[in-house]
Amino acid sequence: MIDVASLSPTVQAIVLVGVVLLEAIVLYVGYGAISSAVTKPLIDAIQNA
Amino acid sequence: MEILGIALTTLVLFVGFGLMVGVLFGFFGMGGSFLVTPALLVMGYPASVAVGSGMAFVFGTAVIATLKHHDLGQVDYKLGGLMIAGTTAGIEVGKEIVLHLESIGLASGVIGVTYVLLLGGVGVFVTYNALNSDGGDSGGGHHDGADQEIDPDAIPDIAKKIQSYHVPPMMTIRGGIQVSLWMVLAVAFATGLLSGFLGVGGGFIRMPAMFYLIGVPVPIAVGTDLFEIVFSGGLGSFLYAQGGGVDLSIVAPLLAGSALGARIGSAATGIVDEGEIKIYFGLMLLGGSVAVAFRQLGDYLGMDVLNTVSFALILLSAFLVSGAVVYSSVVALRQEPDATAVAAD
C-alpha cells in the first residue's frame, strides 16, 4: 500500500486531482446508467401527468 | 451520525447544494466558484480551502458537464483549444494590471467596481436582447444537430460584423460559421484579460462573448466554455492542492450532487428555448451583481452583515434560476413530444 503522505506535495496534488477526475468519470458513467433506465418512464410520467 | 468523518446533515447539505450548482453549471457553463467558494467561507472554512476545494469541485463538475455536452455534439474542440491559448495569454496580462494597481493602492476599489458593473452590464444586455428578440431563436428548443447550418437571423449583428472581417487564416466553427482565427484569439484574449483582472473563472464573460462576438450558437458556446473550464479548473486545483487547499471530504459529496445536476442542466439546454436560456442567464448575472455590490459595500464599511446578505442573495438567485430551468424543461417536455428524444440522450 502506498503511503500518500510520504509523497512530495506535487505528486500528492497530482493524485488528488486524479481522484477528483476519477470520481467525476465514475459518477458520469454511474448516473448515465441510472438515467438511461429512469429517463423514459420519468418523461412519460411528466407528459401524462 | 457521521459518514467518513462528515456529519450526515452536512453531507446532505453538500449533496443538495451540489445538485443545484450542477444544474446551473450544466445549463450556463458558469456559476461554480461563484456559488461554492462564498458558501464554504460562510461555513467557516479557511480561505485557501474554500477557494481550492471550490476549484476542484468546478473541475470535476466541468468534466461531467463537458462529457454530457460532448454526447449532445455541443463542444467545438478546435474553438476550445484556441480559446484556451488566447485566454491564458489574457489572464497573464490581467494579472500584471492587478499587480500594477496594487502597487498604487487602487486594486481593491477598481476591481470591485469593475466586477459589479461588468456582471450587471452583461446581465442587462443579455436580458434586454433576449426579451426583444422576436424571431430566430424564439421558436422552440435548439437541439437540432450542432453541425447543422444555423439561421443567419439568429446571429447577432455585432457577430456578423466580426465575421465580415476576412483576415486570413479563416476557420470554420460548428454551425458552419466562418470567422478569422485572429478574431477568435482577440476575443479569447479580451475575455482572459477580464478574467485575470477580476480573479474569476470567467464563464459569465466567455459564454456571451462567444455568442455575441463570434456568433457561436448558445448550446455550443456553453459546451465549449465548459471544455475550457476543465483545463483552467484542473490547473487551479493542482496549484491549490500543492498547498493543501483541496479537501476531498468537501469535494466528494458536492460532486456527487453536481454530477446529477450537471446532467439535468446540460440536457435542459437541448429542451428549453434559447431565448429563455438567455433571460435566465441575464437574471442570474443581475442577481450576482447586486450580491457582489453588497459584499463590496460590506468590506468597505466593515459590516459583516452585508456579506451575509450578499451570500443569501446569491443563494436565492441560484435557487430561483435553477428551479426555473427545471420548471421550463418540464413545461417544454409536456408541450413538445420531440423533446423527449433529446432528454433521453
Side-chain angles (χ1 to χ4, degrees), chain B residues 324-342:
Chain B
V325 168
V326 173
Y327 176 75
S328 292
S329 304
V330 170
V331 171
L333 279 172
R334 295 188 70 164
Q335 288 173 346
E336 281 185 79
D338 65 321
T340 309
V342 180

Side-chain angles (χ1 to χ4, degrees), chain B residues 310-331:
Chain B
S310 160
F311 177 63
L313 272 173
I314 288 180
L315 211 59
L316 184 68
S317 60
F319 181 73
L320 289 176
V321 174
S322 57
V325 168
V326 173
Y327 176 75
S328 292
S329 304
V330 170
V331 171

Side-chain angles (χ1 to χ4, degrees), chain A residues 8-37 39-40 42-49, chain B residues 56-57 59-61 63-65 67-68 71 234 237-239 241-242 246-248 251-253 255-257 259-260 263 330 333-334 336-340 343-345:
Chain A
S8 73
T10 303
V11 178
Q12 282 187 44
I14 291 170
V15 170
L16 208 55
V17 173
V19 169
V20 174
L21 180 63
L22 186 68
E23 187 194 349
I25 293 170
V26 168
L27 285 168
Y28 180 76
V29 174
Y31 280 132
I34 295 169
S35 64
S36 63
T39 306
K40 186 79 175 74
L42 186 68
I43 291 172
D44 287 345
I46 289 170
Q47 288 180 330
N48 298 323
Chain B
F57 163 72
F59 164 64
T61 310
V63 168
I64 293 160
L67 287 170
K68 183 67 189 164
D71 289 350
S237 310
F238 170 70
L239 294 174
Q242 278 183 313
V246 176
D247 187 341
L248 268 184
V251 180
L255 209 51
L260 181 60
R263 288 191 81 92
V330 170
L333 279 172
R334 295 188 70 164
E336 281 185 79
D338 65 321
T340 309
D345 288 336

Side-chain angles (χ1 to χ4, degrees), chain B residues 173-269:
Chain B
I173 53 180
R174 287 215 164 190
I177 300 156
Q178 284 270 324
V179 65
S180 166
L181 171 80
W182 299 110
M183 290 299 167
V184 172
L185 288 175
V187 170
F189 179 81
T191 55
L193 193 141
L194 283 169
S195 178
F197 178 67
L198 299 173
V200 294
F204 79 94
I205 311 167
R206 266 195 313 273
M207 200 280 264
M210 275 194 262
F211 173 70
Y212 287 106
L213 300 181
I214 305 177
V216 182
V218 171
I220 297 168
V222 173
T224 307
D225 178 40
L226 284 163
F227 171 65
E228 190 174 348
I229 294 171
V230 169
F231 288 89
S232 57
L235 181 64
S237 310
F238 170 70
L239 294 174
Y240 272 93
Q242 278 183 313
V246 176
D247 187 341
L248 268 184
S249 70
I250 299 170
V251 180
L254 278 172
L255 209 51
S258 74
L260 181 60
R263 288 191 81 92
I264 296 170
S266 303
T269 59

Side-chain angles (χ1 to χ4, degrees), chain B residues 8 13-14 18 51 54 90 98 115 139 148-149 153 168 174 176 221 234 243 253 293 329-331 334 343:
Chain B
L8 187 64
L13 184 78
F14 277 164
V51 177
V98 172
Y115 195 7
Q148 206 169 23
E149 296 283 329
D153 290 341
R174 287 215 164 190
S329 304
V330 170
V331 171
R334 295 188 70 164

